[in-house]
Amino acid sequence: MSTSDSTASYGDIVRRLAGAQKVTLPGSPPYSIYVNRKAGRLIAAWAYRAGLTPNAVTAISAALTFAGILCIALIPPAAWSGLLVWLLLALGYAFDSADGQVARLRGGGSPAGEWLDHVVDAAKLSSLHIAVAIAMFRWFALPPGWLLLPLLYAIVSAVTFFGMILNDLLRDARGGRKRDVGTRSLAHTILILPTDYGILCLVFLLLGWPLLFTIAYGLFFIANLGALAFALPRWFSQMKQLGKEVR
């Protein structure tokens, strides 16, 4: 696909994107693959026909996402504000999926575009949990020690994201084999649901009920901490093996 396809119909572009999706690895986060990628496809087709660049789509994604994050920190928690936060975060995530698809429609992405996408992702993952800490401090009737929950969650999210990016970067730089995740059971797919950013966004629908939100958010933190504790030794072992492969 290239910019010469700009006169194609919306439906034709959606169908082309559906046939040119990245390979879905076993064990990939279900929401991100089966909901967000499809939503991003629809947005990408619109953005392409509107003449938007991938970086412009990334900017829209960032604006929506950080608007949602600001709502968490600045608006007193209520049912309607939780719905607003979820909508902004979910739309931001869909646009995040769309930017890469727009790049493919235009003939391929650029290092600058990929860099921008990753920087925005890194900023949102940390900022989201810091906003939760601010909301808990301002409006939740919780002991001060509970503020450690979102702060620790921010660390877990940052380390997980950086570890995944660094794994791929080192494999590409050293010419190592691509990830081989093998097959994954239904039980594994269910277990990794809390590590899916799109599923985390749904938790903010509970923002109007602080106790329920804190319980759900805390369970997600525990699940993500456990997933990271499991992944780190495995990633380190893979990097050691990579060192042997490229000698």
Side-chain angles (χ1 to χ4, degrees):
M1 301 179 200
S2 67
T3 54
S4 63
D5 301 315
S6 58
T7 58
S9 70
Y10 177 84
D12 185 46
I13 294 174
V14 171
R15 286 189 291 272
R16 291 184 189 183
L17 280 172
Q21 291 292 323
K22 294 184 291 186
V23 175
T24 300
L25 296 173
S28 299
Y31 179 95
S32 296
I33 298 301
Y34 300 111
V35 178
N36 201 60
R37 181 179 287 182
K38 292 181 179 179
R41 184 186 308 158
L42 300 178
I43 293 171
W46 164 80
Y48 180 68
R49 283 179 55 83
L52 297 180
T53 65
N55 287 351
V57 176
T58 300
I60 295 173
S61 170
L64 290 166
T65 298
F66 288 104
I69 290 172
L70 285 173
C71 287
I72 297 170
L74 301 178
I75 299 177
W80 70 267
S81 65
L83 178 61
L84 177 62
V85 168
W86 167 76
L87 182 61
L88 288 169
L89 295 179
L91 283 174
Y93 192 34
F95 271 86
D96 185 34
S97 174
D99 57 8
Q101 299 188 58
V102 172
R104 286 196 292 277
L105 284 169
R106 294 171 63 91
S110 67
E114 186 173 0
W115 178 90
L116 179 63
D117 189 39
H118 289 330
V119 168
V120 170
D121 284 342
K124 82 178 181 187
L125 289 173
S126 296
S127 300
L128 179 67
H129 300 295
I130 292 173
V132 172
I134 293 172
M136 286 184 170
F137 175 77
R138 297 184 69 184
W139 294 297
F140 288 22
L142 294 171
W146 280 96
L147 294 178
L148 289 174
L149 173 59
L151 298 180
L152 291 173
Y153 207 153
I155 295 172
V156 169
S157 294
V159 173
T160 300
F161 179 74
F162 181 74
M164 293 174 63
I165 295 298
L166 189 58
N167 289 346
D168 290 339
L169 178 65
L170 289 175
R171 286 192 185 95
D172 290 343
R174 307 267 179 127
R177 292 181 300 177
K178 297 297 183 181
R179 283 180 292 171
D180 179 13
V181 297
T183 59
R184 293 291 187 265
S185 66
L186 176 61
H188 176 271
T189 299
I190 294 173
L191 285 173
I192 67 170
L193 279 175
T195 67
D196 192 329
Y197 176 80
I199 300 297
L200 174 61
C201 292
L202 290 170
V203 173
F204 290 92
L205 290 171
L206 299 173
L207 203 56
W209 299 270
L211 180 59
L212 289 177
F213 172 81
T214 303
I215 292 172
Y217 183 80
L219 291 174
F220 269 64
F221 165 71
I222 292 170
N224 279 267
L225 178 61
L228 179 61
F230 174 79
L232 285 175
R234 182 165 55 90
W235 290 345
F236 185 67
S237 177
Q238 290 171 356
M239 292 302 105
K240 290 176 66 176
Q241 183 61 36
L242 176 62
K244 297 177 181 177
E245 291 175 2
V246 298
R247 285 178 183 172

